[in-house]
Amino acid sequence: AVKNQYFAFIADISDSFASVRTKTKEIISPTVNKDGSQDKYDLIFAEGQIADFELAPGASKDISLDIFAGPQEIHILEKLGNDKKGIMQLNMFMNMKVSWLGFLSEMILKALFFFNGYVNSFGLSIILLTISVKLLFWRLTNKSNKSMKKMAILGPRIKEIREELKDNPQVMNQKVMALYREEGVNPAGGCLPMLLQMPIFISLFNALRSAIELRHVEFLWITDLSQP
């Protein structure tokens, strides 16, 4: 397969390819810019080689090819089988594949389509989706905010302990931890809820980046919801 952000060409044969490989070729635009430079692009190839076979004189062999060329719409790709929706790379994070992240991204994408079915506006759907995510994590966020406020209040006392016991770091740490226990503060309480929310926001990014349905869609002053 080869793809760009929104479109893909997939060739799938019933028997496995003996080998597959990709190539990249640099293409220089014939158009010259005002500063005399020419834009460069990478043209990407994907090639598959069918396993060797023998043919007797007068014999024939049929090779079944399943070809898809078109937009990466998840509801279309799902129906094609052999996990062709994987071409959307909903499970990618930092050039790594994370299977459960793909599941989350897919759920968020389908939630976006669900909201759009009611309001008929992808701009409003993104807003509703964002509000839903914030409501889902409201208790965690609230707890995190309370923990950070307590930490801010304890800041001056912790500073005093650190200055007083700077020559004895072991006792200093014991005193600080005792203060946390006394005040019922978890030092990780402020950042842990944020870490738990990170997969959701990464999935949201993946979903919005991959949704061709947002391409050229206008909302208020925004001319294209698919653009940064």
Side-chain angles (χ1 to χ4, degrees):
V2 287
K3 61 164 283 180
N4 59 15
Q5 186 174 2
Y6 295 120
F7 298 93
F9 183 95
I10 306 170
D12 189 1
I13 64 170
S14 54
D15 300 317
S16 298
F17 283 111
S19 64
V20 291
R21 58 185 175 273
T22 57
K23 294 180 180 179
T24 305
K25 181 181 179 182
E26 189 177 75
I27 302 294
I28 300 174
S29 170
T31 306
V32 180
N33 299 319
K34 289 181 179 179
D35 60 359
S37 64
Q38 291 171 280
D39 294 329
K40 296 179 180 179
Y41 304 94
D42 285 331
L43 181 63
I44 300 172
F45 301 67
E47 298 178 345
Q49 181 176 328
I50 300 167
D52 293 342
F53 58 90
E54 292 184 2
L55 270 184
S60 64
K61 177 180 174 67
D62 291 334
I63 296 170
S64 176
L65 285 166
D66 177 6
I67 302 291
F68 169 80
Q72 296 178 59
E73 294 183 31
I74 192 165
H75 66 278
I76 293 175
L77 294 170
E78 277 180 327
K79 295 175 184 176
L80 298 178
N82 287 352
D83 194 32
K84 288 189 177 64
K85 68 181 179 183
I87 195 75
M88 296 180 70
Q89 296 183 314
L90 293 171
N91 60 350
M92 294 298 288
F93 175 64
M94 303 284 288
N95 291 325
M96 296 184 294
K97 289 183 178 180
V98 185
S99 56
W100 56 266
L101 196 62
F103 173 77
L104 273 180
S105 301
E106 191 175 325
M107 292 301 101
I108 286 176
L109 191 55
K110 289 181 177 178
L112 182 69
F113 299 150
F114 171 80
F115 285 125
N116 189 61
Y118 283 95
V119 297
N120 197 31
S121 165
F122 276 110
L124 285 177
S125 298
I126 292 171
I127 292 170
L128 289 172
L129 183 60
T130 307
I131 292 171
S132 300
V133 170
K134 295 301 287 182
L135 287 174
L136 184 67
F137 285 100
W138 168 251
R139 291 185 67 181
L140 272 175
T141 306
N142 197 32
K143 196 173 180 180
S144 172
N145 290 337
K146 286 180 179 178
S147 179
M148 285 191 288
K149 284 179 182 177
K150 283 184 180 179
M151 287 288 289
I153 293 169
L154 292 178
R157 292 171 65 183
I158 292 171
K159 188 177 179 181
E160 285 177 14
I161 292 171
R162 285 176 175 164
E163 287 178 357
E164 184 184 336
L165 299 168
K166 61 184 176 182
D167 297 327
N168 195 338
Q170 188 175 354
V171 176
M172 178 186 70
N173 289 332
Q174 289 173 351
K175 288 272 189 183
V176 170
M177 293 309 294
L179 180 63
Y180 286 148
R181 284 194 297 271
E182 183 185 324
E183 297 295 334
V185 174
N186 182 353
C191 60
L192 189 59
M194 294 180 191
L195 290 174
L196 291 174
Q197 292 177 66
M198 282 302 293
I200 296 292
F201 293 122
I202 294 167
S203 301
L204 186 61
F205 170 79
N206 280 352
L208 297 181
R209 176 190 62 181
S210 305
I212 189 174
E213 289 82 0
L214 301 180
R215 189 169 178 259
H216 301 323
V217 173
E218 297 181 1
F219 180 68
L220 301 179
W221 67 91
I222 303 168
T223 57
D224 188 345
L225 284 175
S226 70
Q227 295 302 308

